[in-house]
Amino acid sequence: MCGFVGYINEQNKIGNIEKNQITNMLKLIHHRGPDDTGFFNDDHIVFGFKRLSIIDVENGKQPISFENERYWMVFNGEIYNYQELRKTLKNIGYTFQTSSDSETILALFSHKKEEAFSDLRGMFAILIWDKKEQTMYGARDPFGIKPLYYTNGESEHELYFASEKKSFVALENNKSLNKEALHHYLTFQYVPEPLTMTTDTFKIEPGHYFIKKKGEGLIQTKYWEPIFKPSQGNLETSSKQIAQTLEESVNCHMISDVPLGAFLSGGIDSTCIVTLAKKINPDIKTFTVGFEQEGYHELNPVKQTVEALEVKNSYYQVSVTEFIEELPKIIWHLDDPVADPAAIPLYFLAREAAKHVKVVLSGEGADELFGGYRIYKEPLSLRPLSTLSNSGKKMMNFIINRVPQKVKGRNYIERGLTPIEKRYIGNAKMFSEADKFKLLSQYRSDYNYENITMPFYEQIQHLDDITKMQYIDLQTWLRGDILVKADRMTMAHSLELRVPFLDKEVFRVAANLHPTLKVDKSQTKIALRSAMKHIVPEHIVNRAKLGFPVPIRHWLQNELYDWAKNLIMDSQTDYIFKKEEILQLLEQHRKINLHESSMFKSKGDYSRPLWTVLTFMLWHQIFIENVYEFDTTMEHSR
């Protein structure tokens, strides 16, 4: 696990100014690789690299070259099938100087060029320079586990790449706020890829490689697509396939030359991973986080799991004081605002784990692959309405339009009569278009959220509604929210996170599941739970999903109320927001009666929309107003 920057200047030769600039860009991502620093420059390119040593600690330095220095590469991630690939390459005559997966990538690239990326099993962001052809190649893993940003320089002949967007802060040509990205952020609570919150800065999309030839633009090509093919498989057969494939994936993901642990919550996803990992390493350490607020921790089920599996566990409890103290740094590490409150406990969880291990396993991706979100049950409950004939729907619409808004059941009927393409945009929806019109000083109707979701829906018209929802989440929520916070919060503490569920082989099994093996009216992840029922502790098998609950709905009424109000008033975002609307939301939220034990949204609970705006305002202070300064260059040195 590492971080890198890259630079191309097609017109001018690289000099000391450019080299110093790359050095400054690297300093801003020191946390991604405190173990070593490396550089390479040719006449027209520079690579800078920060290494977190995981595999072949002594010899796996980067940038790395191959074929008499024709190819040079920087690479962030891990390739789990590199040993099989290396064996195949040796059989056809390739030789190796190291035991690293990075050298294997370059040998494979030498053999197959850009077709090599399809053979890689793992998480990765890659840059490769071909000195002979004067061409840059790059790629990002199928699910988007590892980030890869790019932006133009001051001239059209310059192009920069980086593992984190904050590296571009070191460039003199400051970028401005992307208004389209802001509109989408307010809908989704994150910036959908390939956009970022900054103009002219973008992400290489998951499952894509690019080629940049001299004098030509950057051309991206899709090499992998998450294709669902639901079949009429039975539960017993599917369960066996899932158990076998997931166990094999966990085994692959445990390749490491340094200490490895795992995150553990009270849900089935992380418990699956820990249970399977313990078979390979009986002494594996686990890590858990929670809050003081009652109902906002999973300590009791975790204790039961720890006792049943006989694993070591470290539990960390986050206070509201350190929560607010660390929040600016958390937002800084995220690069762009992500208003998912779960990023905060994940930051503290990673900080605790980094005291003991250098690599952790985690359960991200299980919900999207196996049907884990409660919202996936909705097509089942709406079926009596969604399956009506067109004339039946027209009649129901005629009736419901004459029913007052507050009448119980109206919302259910409206949703049932609304096509899924119109009602489901992903796992989170913060502000509607009408809300954004009221909130924004300059609302743009052409920045509608459907610009993001409809191209995906057009590709999956043949699928059932449950699988459509999974696909939308894989293409938006997973890579825009889940994996962003997972990567940034762990790398903030120089900790490598691996996600065995997000594996091409695991996806192949999950993609064939029939909707009835995913959810029914009472249960989610049916096939996964069946696969794990004789493996994980009994108290976990049917436990409902909780996630990383954060008590911001309570805190915004009490401990964080003054902080929130001051942030709204002090932030220089009057040109963006109608602040009186936000202040009104805060006051309305403060007045509602929250049951201390409840974690579910109450009527008048505006905590999540408020948190979306507050997160953006803090991001604006950090990256636009330059209110904060962060020096993390020595913080995580080992």
Side-chain angles (χ1 to χ4, degrees):
M1 191 63 59
C2 311
F4 60 73
V5 295
Y7 170 65
I8 305 174
N9 190 324
E10 297 180 333
Q11 190 173 51
N12 301 316
K13 284 192 173 184
I14 301 298
N16 290 330
I17 293 176
E18 289 83 2
K19 292 176 185 177
N20 290 336
Q21 191 174 63
I22 294 298
T23 299
N24 292 332
M25 292 173 71
L26 273 186
K27 287 178 181 178
L28 292 170
I29 57 169
H30 177 78
H31 49 275
R32 293 194 78 93
D35 295 336
D36 191 28
T37 305
F39 294 92
F40 166 75
N41 71 274
D42 203 352
D43 285 346
H44 295 286
I45 74 113
V46 184
F47 282 159
F49 188 75
K50 298 295 296 184
R51 187 184 183 206
L52 184 64
S53 306
I54 304 295
I55 293 176
D56 194 3
V57 175
E58 294 299 321
N59 301 308
K61 297 179 182 295
Q62 294 187 44
I64 186 171
S65 65
F66 199 79
E67 202 175 297
N68 296 319
E69 299 192 352
R70 172 180 172 174
Y71 301 111
W72 283 86
M73 182 183 76
V74 283
F75 151 63
N76 168 29
E78 302 292 351
I79 306 302
Y80 304 118
N81 64 336
Y82 81 96
Q83 292 172 335
E84 301 96 288
L85 293 171
R86 177 184 291 253
K87 184 177 180 180
T88 301
L89 291 164
K90 280 184 175 181
N91 288 339
I92 58 177
Y94 284 87
T95 59
F96 297 87
Q97 305 301 314
T98 74
S99 300
S100 67
D101 53 350
S102 53
E103 189 179 17
T104 305
I105 296 171
L106 263 186
L108 187 66
F109 181 82
S110 174
H111 181 55
K112 301 181 71 171
K113 278 297 181 68
E114 59 268 25
E115 292 181 9
F117 302 128
S118 299
D119 293 347
L120 302 179
R121 181 182 182 183
M123 54 181 184
F124 53 86
I126 298 169
L127 293 181
I128 297 174
W129 173 245
D130 184 338
K131 288 178 65 174
K132 182 179 178 180
E133 295 183 356
Q134 294 287 287
T135 300
M136 182 81 83
Y137 297 81
R140 193 171 172 209
D141 67 71
F143 297 101
I145 303 168
K146 293 289 101 187
L148 180 52
Y149 292 88
Y150 66 98
T151 190
N152 294 316
E154 291 184 345
S155 79
E156 60 182 358
H157 304 288
E158 297 175 276
L159 195 61
Y160 293 88
F161 300 91
S163 293
E164 293 188 11
K165 194 180 116 179
K166 64 179 62 64
S167 288
F168 300 148
V169 171
L171 304 178
E172 293 181 3
N173 51 320
N174 293 324
K175 309 297 183 181
S176 58
L177 180 70
N178 185 328
K179 297 293 180 63
E180 181 181 3
L182 172 63
H183 276 65
H184 294 321
Y185 165 79
L186 292 172
T187 299
F188 296 98
Q189 82 172 12
Y190 56 86
V191 178
E193 295 183 342
L195 298 175
T196 73
M197 195 60 85
T198 313
T199 56
D200 300 323
T201 300
F202 304 94
K203 290 181 179 179
I204 300 296
E205 295 198 65
H208 283 68
Y209 68 81
F210 72 82
I211 301 175
K212 175 66 178 74
K213 295 183 178 180
K214 189 173 183 179
E216 299 180 12
L218 186 142
I219 299 174
Q220 295 192 53
T221 302
K222 184 185 294 184
Y223 70 85
W224 190 86
E225 168 76 14
I227 299 174
F228 285 93
K229 298 179 180 179
S231 64
Q232 290 290 344
N234 65 68
L235 182 59
E236 183 179 357
T237 302
S238 296
S239 298
K240 289 180 180 178
Q241 290 176 335
I242 292 169
Q244 291 170 359
T245 308
L246 187 55
E247 183 169 0
E248 192 267 342
S249 179
V250 170
N251 186 40
C252 289
H253 281 70
M254 292 187 72
I255 298 171
S256 176
D257 295 333
V258 296
L260 179 148
F263 290 158
L264 179 62
S265 70
I268 191 170
D269 303 340
S270 64
T271 307
C272 284
I273 302 300
V274 170
T275 305
L276 295 172
K278 187 183 186 299
K279 290 184 178 182
I280 301 162
N281 177 12
D283 296 322
I284 191 167
K285 295 179 179 178
T286 64
F287 307 93
T288 306
V289 68
F291 294 91
E292 296 173 345
Q293 189 92 24
E294 184 62 32
Y296 289 85
H297 60 74
E298 299 178 287
L299 192 53
N300 291 334
V302 167
K303 281 183 177 179
Q304 286 182 268
T305 301
V306 168
E307 291 172 3
L309 296 180
E310 297 181 337
V311 293
K312 299 174 183 176
N313 180 258
S314 295
Y315 174 76
Y316 189 80
Q317 189 165 272
V318 184
S319 70
V320 65
T321 302
E322 62 179 344
F323 175 99
I324 205 64
E325 286 177 353
E326 290 294 301
L327 188 57
K329 189 181 292 183
I330 290 169
I331 302 300
W332 182 78
H333 275 292
L334 285 168
D335 277 333
D336 276 338
V338 177
D340 188 341
I344 290 91
L346 185 54
Y347 175 88
F348 291 103
L349 179 61
R351 190 180 71 179
E352 179 66 20
K355 298 174 185 177
H356 306 273
V357 298
K358 209 168 182 178
V359 180
V360 288
L361 304 180
S362 190
E364 279 82 356
D367 293 313
E368 289 79 8
L369 267 63
F370 293 100
Y373 296 118
R374 285 190 293 268
I375 190 66
Y376 292 166
K377 297 179 185 180
E378 187 180 61
L380 302 178
S381 64
L382 295 178
R383 188 168 290 164
L385 292 166
S386 61
T387 55
L388 286 174
S389 65
N390 289 335
S391 59
K393 289 180 180 178
K394 185 179 289 188
M395 182 179 295
M396 288 297 295
N397 269 315
F398 178 82
I399 296 170
I400 200 66
N401 286 334
R402 283 152 179 78
V403 174
Q405 288 284 346
K406 294 182 179 180
V407 171
K408 187 176 181 180
R410 176 183 168 129
N411 182 60
Y412 166 78
I413 296 174
E414 284 182 336
R415 289 186 70 79
L417 298 175
T418 304
I420 191 165
E421 293 82 359
K422 297 288 185 179
R423 73 169 188 263
Y424 191 73
I425 67 161
N427 210 267
K429 183 177 182 180
M430 294 298 110
F431 291 95
S432 68
E433 295 303 312
D435 293 331
K436 288 189 287 185
F437 179 79
K438 291 170 59 178
L439 184 70
L440 290 169
S441 300
Q442 296 179 325
Y443 171 76
R444 290 276 299 269
S445 60
D446 55 329
Y447 292 158
N448 191 288
Y449 72 85
E450 290 186 1
N451 296 347
I452 302 298
T453 57
M454 287 310 294
F456 293 126
Y457 273 116
E458 289 169 2
Q459 299 176 45
I460 54 173
Q461 294 178 14
H462 62 289
L463 295 175
D464 63 275
D465 282 359
I466 293 170
T467 309
K468 284 179 180 178
M469 295 167 82
Q470 289 178 271
Y471 183 84
I472 293 298
D473 280 335
L474 265 174
Q475 297 285 29
T476 56
W477 167 258
L478 179 70
R479 68 197 217 190
D481 181 301
I482 300 293
L483 293 177
V484 170
K485 67 178 190 283
D487 175 79
R488 302 307 189 283
M489 297 300 90
T490 51
M491 290 309 296
H493 303 288
S494 306
L495 181 71
E496 171 172 306
L497 180 136
R498 298 179 180 179
V499 282
F501 280 109
L502 291 178
D503 175 83
K504 288 196 290 187
E505 298 304 316
V506 176
F507 178 80
R508 282 194 183 98
V509 176
N512 291 326
L513 292 177
H514 191 269
T516 57
L517 301 182
K518 301 170 189 175
V519 299
D520 59 26
K521 290 184 179 180
S522 62
Q523 187 61 279
T524 61
K525 286 187 284 206
I526 293 170
L528 179 63
R529 294 180 195 277
S530 175
M532 295 292 113
K533 65 182 178 182
H534 298 305
I535 299 174
V536 302
E538 186 178 354
H539 70 282
I540 290 295
V541 174
N542 294 312
R543 193 166 188 269
K545 181 177 179 60
L546 187 61
F548 268 145
V550 183
I552 58 165
R553 61 203 299 263
H554 298 275
W555 290 348
L556 284 172
Q557 287 189 326
N558 302 293
E559 296 94 334
L560 297 184
Y561 171 80
D562 288 337
W563 168 83
K565 189 171 184 178
N566 290 335
L567 176 59
I568 295 166
M569 299 302 296
D570 294 343
S571 72
Q572 297 174 22
T573 54
D574 302 78
Y575 71 105
I576 298 172
F577 296 116
K578 300 171 186 175
K579 286 188 175 180
E580 65 274 11
E581 296 287 343
I582 305 169
L583 290 169
Q584 185 177 353
L585 281 182
L586 182 63
E587 294 306 319
Q588 289 176 337
H589 178 77
R590 195 184 194 191
K591 293 174 183 176
I592 67 170
N593 181 24
L594 294 176
H595 298 290
E596 291 296 314
S597 60
S598 173
M599 292 175 295
F600 301 103
K601 187 173 180 179
S602 304
K603 188 176 181 181
D605 177 2
Y606 297 108
S607 58
R608 292 298 296 276
L610 278 168
W611 193 252
T612 301
V613 174
L614 293 168
T615 299
F616 173 82
M617 287 181 164
L618 190 51
W619 175 88
H620 192 274
Q621 286 189 332
I622 294 166
F623 288 100
I624 304 296
E625 300 171 41
N626 298 316
V627 171
Y628 295 89
E629 290 185 7
F630 303 99
D631 181 11
T632 62
T633 54
M634 299 304 293
E635 193 168 308
H636 305 299
S637 297
R638 295 179 184 271

